[in-house]
Amino acid sequence: MFRQLPRLPHLVLALGLAAAALAGTPPADAARIKEIASVQGVRSNQLVGYGLVVGLDGTGDQTTQAPFTAQSLQAMLQQMGVSVPPGTNMQLRNVAAVTVTAQLPPFAQPGQTIDVTVASMGNAKSLRGGTLVATPLRGADGQIYALAQGNLVVGGAGASAGGSKVQINHLSAGRVPAGATVERAVPTAFGQGEFLQLDLASADYHTARQVARAINAAKGAGAAEALDGRVVRVRMPAEDRVGFLADIENLRVELAPPAARVVVNARTGSVVMNQAVTLGACAVAHGNLSVTISSTPVVSQPAPLSQGQTVVGEKADIQLRQEGGALVQLAAGAKLTDVVKALNSLGATPQDLLAILQAIKAAGALNAELEVI
């Protein structure tokens, strides 16, 4: 009486595999906690130092225009036991005064190496082929945290002769890979205290709540609490804090749609908007008014035997032109593509879009925050 379904096991298996695939596939608007938040106190520190680059091929500082280079070299020679007679005018062309900067990563320990960036302070033409002399790098507290030294890598080339010059890329700055050795570690409060604070990259109450929910679902109720739209407080275990943090930073969180925003660069005319921007129904008239004034010389020649004089005058021609400024109706758009098409239909340049967007925002038809940078 009952018919057998011959391929039912295969159907069940296929549905099971599809469900497993859907369960393992994160949603399109999901991100890991490590990508949207950072641990308070775990950050890099800026280091800076002043040093000398030697071994240049006549492209260093001119001491007459950069006297601090000669003073720095004299101080370095005195530390090495070399005395320069007073009043000596050193004409140095193979030495350049530079600023050395570096980023000290979190948890860096003495003996590890970091990259440094070297930039000219004087009028050196090129740092190519130079060597950075031992330079201490200091932090904001004035303490020495690293010591930099090594050969520069300059990604450029140049040549000049007879008043002509050819240059590729920038020659006044370079980099020394692994050129600094860490001498002092920066203490952190990572292993201290009962709580750990996660700081979100952008303030959003929904995201903060979702982060707390994801941590509580993985580590138990009460493990995390959202204090505000940017801060999430996490209760840390007494042992294996590294493993605990490694687990929670890989948890995926569903993100809320971003706030509608239009960013306009007034200097370059760039207009960038996100997918949440919508445009209400409105009508826009756009046109340019141009006035052209041209002057043409006119010579007035007197009649014969009239004892008159030749006079040169000017004839002014004034033209007033107003380009098409017809009233264009923009339909309400619910997608980013609709907004772009509506603005492109006006035929406006990026510079004109700034005034148009401001007027649409003032009229209440632009459903987004307008930010001018």
Side-chain angles (χ1 to χ4, degrees):
M1 297 178 62
F2 297 95
R3 298 182 60 184
Q4 183 180 3
L5 300 178
R7 308 187 65 177
L8 184 58
H10 300 280
L11 180 60
V12 174
L13 178 60
L15 292 176
L17 293 177
L22 292 177
T25 303
D29 55 351
R32 293 179 297 180
I33 292 181
K34 65 166 59 176
E35 299 166 351
I36 60 175
S38 60
V39 181
Q40 185 186 41
V42 180
R43 63 177 183 87
S44 59
N45 293 271
Q46 290 74 27
L47 303 180
V48 64
Y50 170 82
L52 295 175
V53 171
V54 299
L56 303 176
D57 189 12
T59 59
D61 293 337
Q62 297 182 5
T63 55
T64 55
Q65 301 178 0
F68 50 85
T69 304
Q71 296 175 2
S72 303
L73 183 60
Q74 290 181 2
M76 186 183 70
L77 293 177
Q78 289 180 358
Q79 293 180 356
M80 296 181 178
V82 179
S83 299
V84 180
T88 302
N89 186 14
M90 296 188 299
Q91 297 295 331
L92 306 174
R93 294 187 178 272
N94 297 339
V95 183
V98 295
T99 299
V100 185
T101 58
Q103 293 281 345
L104 184 64
F107 308 117
Q109 298 299 317
Q112 295 180 339
T113 57
I114 56 177
D115 300 340
V116 298
T117 301
V118 181
S120 174
M121 293 183 60
N123 51 10
K125 298 180 180 179
S126 174
L127 298 180
R128 188 177 180 87
T131 301
L132 177 66
V133 183
T135 303
L137 302 181
R138 304 176 183 272
D141 55 357
Q143 301 294 328
I144 297 177
Y145 287 90
L147 187 65
Q149 181 173 286
N151 299 325
L152 269 72
V153 177
V154 179
S160 60
S164 300
K165 180 180 179 181
V166 177
Q167 180 175 324
I168 301 176
N169 295 335
H170 196 62
L171 302 177
S172 298
R175 195 171 180 86
V176 184
T181 304
V182 179
E183 301 293 338
R184 178 181 300 180
V186 178
T188 62
F190 176 74
Q192 304 176 1
E194 181 182 0
F195 295 97
L196 186 71
Q197 181 172 313
L198 295 178
D199 299 331
L200 301 182
S202 58
D204 187 81
Y205 293 101
H206 176 79
T207 304
R209 184 182 62 178
Q210 292 298 106
V211 169
R213 286 181 177 180
I215 297 175
N216 290 331
K219 297 299 181 180
E225 178 186 4
L227 301 182
D228 51 37
R230 188 180 288 269
V231 178
V232 177
R233 187 176 62 178
V234 182
R235 187 184 301 274
M236 298 293 290
E239 299 178 356
D240 194 15
R241 294 195 168 196
V242 175
F244 181 86
L245 190 59
D247 292 339
I248 66 174
E249 70 176 1
N250 288 313
L251 297 176
R252 290 193 173 271
V253 178
E254 182 180 356
L255 302 180
R261 178 174 299 180
V262 178
V263 180
V264 180
N265 192 327
R267 296 180 297 273
T268 62
S270 303
V271 180
V272 180
M273 60 187 72
N274 59 16
Q275 61 182 0
V277 176
T278 58
L279 188 65
C282 61
V284 180
H286 175 67
N288 293 328
L289 179 67
S290 60
V291 179
T292 304
I293 302 176
S294 59
S295 178
T296 305
V298 177
V299 179
S300 176
Q301 186 70 22
L305 305 177
S306 63
Q307 298 182 356
Q309 297 181 355
T310 302
V311 179
V312 179
E314 292 185 357
K315 179 182 179 180
D317 184 14
I318 303 177
Q319 296 180 358
L320 179 63
R321 184 181 62 180
Q322 186 173 8
E323 297 181 359
L327 193 65
V328 179
Q329 182 176 1
L330 303 181
K335 297 181 180 180
L336 176 62
T337 56
D338 298 331
V339 177
V340 174
K341 290 180 182 179
L343 294 178
N344 287 338
S345 64
L346 296 175
T349 63
Q351 295 290 347
D352 297 332
L353 286 179
L354 174 58
I356 295 175
L357 290 173
Q358 287 180 342
I360 296 177
K361 177 65 176 178
L366 181 63
N367 303 322
E369 178 184 356
L370 186 62
E371 180 180 355
V372 181
I373 60 175

